[in-house]
Amino acid sequence: MLTPDKLLHAYQLMVTARNMADTYEANRQVCRYVHSTSKGHEAIQIAAGMQLLPCDWVSPYYRDDSILLSIGFQPHELMLQLLAKKEDPFSGGRSYYCHPSSRDSNKPSIIHQSSATGMQAIPSTGIAQGLQFLEQTGSALFRKSTDGELPVVLCSLGDGSVSEGEVSEALQFAVLKQLPIIYLVQDNEWSISAAAEEIRTNNAYEYAAGFKGLKRLQCDGSDFIPSYETMQQAIGYARMERKPVLVHARVPLLGHHTSGVRKEFYRSREDLLKHGLYDPLPKLRLLLTGVGYEEQAINQAEARCREIVAADFEKTVQSAEPDPLQVEQHVFAPTVVTTEKGNRVGRNTERVMMVDAALHAIEEILEEYPEAVLYGQDVGARLGGVFREAATLADKFGSHRVFNTAIQEAYIVGSTVGLSALGMKPIVEIQFADYIYPGLNQLITEASKSCYLSNGKFPVQMVLRVPTGAYGGGGPYHSGSIESTLLSVKGIKVVYPSNAADMKGLMKAAFLDPNPVVMLEHKGLYWSKVPGTDEARTAEPDKDYVLPLGKARVALEANTDKLKKGETVCIITYGMGVYWAKAAAEQYPGQVEVVDLRTLFPLDEELVFATVQKHGKVLVLSEEQQHNSFAEALSLRISNHCYHFLDAKVEVLGARNLPAVPINLSLEAAMLPSPVKVSERIAKLLAY
């Protein structure tokens, strides 16, 4: 219920936010980092934040400092991020103003927030997905309020972001699964310099009508009481009914888009005057006088807010800068798997295929960890993955733990951010490497940066399985290699097993790693159907076997006598390259040593450099198109570190530099490396 005291509190928050915005504007030289403020949006934001509980989750967007004030953060805390100070509680001076992340148990929790408009919709929906799972399974990870209230998620968005396809993916999943989430859309009719009539045919409320099962509300977001009542209805609906709701709030934009993109650059005087008519501050002040507050009391409250903002700003300006020596901290959370453990050869020594080793690894994970889930396109019941890599798992563990998604690569990847924040352990799949690109936005913008920009609070524990590689006429959209694309992304790990034992050990280690791990799994090795790949089938390791990421292996050793005579070559490779190299080596008995990298990042540089220094002649072999590839980058690193040990320049062999893998088998073969092509390079190196 709205009491006069609550109205005064809301007004004090609004005055504080307005004074903060004015202070930043008056001190532009000090506030040199780009920022936005909630000026004009305060009423709806405060109305929302005041009704959230510590058990809830909120994803503010970059204009939502009033939400942060209303859930309990102090101006000084927000200003520390504004000025990128060491004690910034959100990012330690690494991210923009109003890009929070928080695990404060006395406030709603906040996962890492990025600048990319609309991108928070999927991770936030992932939180709601996780809350539903934990609630329905009675998990100890499910946290209610002290009064027994059920948690909800509030995802705040600007109306301009609703045109993003990923917002649609989030809404689709939330409605399909009926998740406890509120999408608060603040509509100021501007998307930077683009006016609403230029970029949309309908607003968020109208757009949301297409999502059947999504409750819709709208209000004047500049008027505090209608805003409070609307948010009360929305939050209550999500909290009690456990279903999604969208609130469309019309608000004025009184400030700049950002401190760097100023309103006078693109807005007319008439537009600014029109928006000024809906300023929420005088509206709420008038309301206070209407409920009995004297002018003197209101003036005193305003003065106290100004004093706090001024004092906090001065204190923040004097705060310490971050230590540059700590700039590399929190790229990754420490992993628990650092050594190889368990029996690599289990009690049953019968050899298994890679696809079965993966299936068994995930089955054992799901048995041991009730917070683990597996989802993606077609991985659920009936099919169990297009490669049958998840066959039987849905039947055994239920459709709440192993299930299909729509064709939504962005949602598949980005939702893991929210699940991980709750303590869940998602394993997700993209059907083919060629189709990962719609998911890269979430992988790069959200998952890879979360640990670093949250100052270590929110590492993303997820495994992303991606079938990759070419064989058998798979064609241009089912044969691609994407490792170089992935390796250009910092903050993720990339694994590439070449046999069943490594598949199982690396899968277990990837699952236990608290960071995002992409498992690249070569389709041609799944069943050892490609001639020469029978050794991809191995005895299956025991259940407790783990193989740490970043540890390569010698897949083929050279002869010691040949080595002493300088008649050897080493090949650094991975995946299918291991089998091309070993096949080519048959023509040069004892003269070839093959290193299987197994993990592309972290990379076992110690073994690579030691092997190169021992042999002096090296070929880096990859299935990817060669130019600008990981293989070429690795060859330069080898040259730089091993220059004085090299007998010849480092050779690189990859696929031809074509846009895609042709479907015709002879054209496919012409593009890819092969044992014959590898043999020619070996001969070239041995000739030195």
Side-chain angles (χ1 to χ4, degrees), residues 541-653:
D542 279 345
K543 181 179 181 180
D544 62 350
Y545 179 67
V546 290
L547 180 61
L549 310 188
K551 297 295 181 183
R553 72 182 179 103
V554 177
L556 179 68
E557 287 192 62
N559 180 276
T560 304
D561 291 336
K562 298 284 188 181
L563 177 62
K564 289 179 180 178
K565 294 176 182 179
E567 298 175 351
T568 60
V569 169
C570 65
I571 301 177
I572 312 299
T573 189
Y574 55 94
M576 187 64 77
V578 173
Y579 300 96
W580 291 329
K582 292 176 78 170
E586 293 177 3
Q587 299 183 42
Y588 307 92
Q591 292 184 274
V592 179
E593 190 150 309
V594 178
V595 172
D596 180 359
L597 293 175
R598 301 199 286 200
T599 302
L600 306 186
F601 189 88
L603 184 68
D604 191 347
E605 291 186 345
E606 182 179 357
L607 180 59
V608 170
F609 295 158
T611 304
V612 171
Q613 290 171 12
K614 185 168 64 173
H615 294 277
K617 294 181 279 289
V618 56
L619 168 64
V620 181
L621 173 61
S622 168
E623 182 172 332
E624 270 195 305
Q625 292 94 324
Q626 183 174 321
H627 285 181
N628 305 312
S629 65
F630 161 68
E632 287 196 333
L634 179 54
S635 72
L636 177 61
R637 209 179 315 175
I638 290 170
S639 296
N640 289 339
H641 283 80
C642 306
Y643 177 77
H644 295 291
F645 297 89
L646 293 174
D647 300 326
K649 76 175 186 67
V650 178
E651 288 285 323
V652 180
L653 176 60

Side-chain angles (χ1 to χ4, degrees), residues 24-58:
Y24 305 160
E25 181 68 9
N27 293 272
R28 289 175 61 187
Q29 294 301 315
V30 177
C31 306
R32 63 186 184 275
Y33 301 115
V34 65
H35 58 272
S36 297
T37 69
S38 56
K39 194 171 183 178
H41 291 228
E42 298 101 335
I44 187 65
Q45 291 185 21
I46 293 167
M50 283 177 62
Q51 300 184 67
L52 294 176
L53 303 174
C55 64
D56 294 330
W57 292 77
V58 57

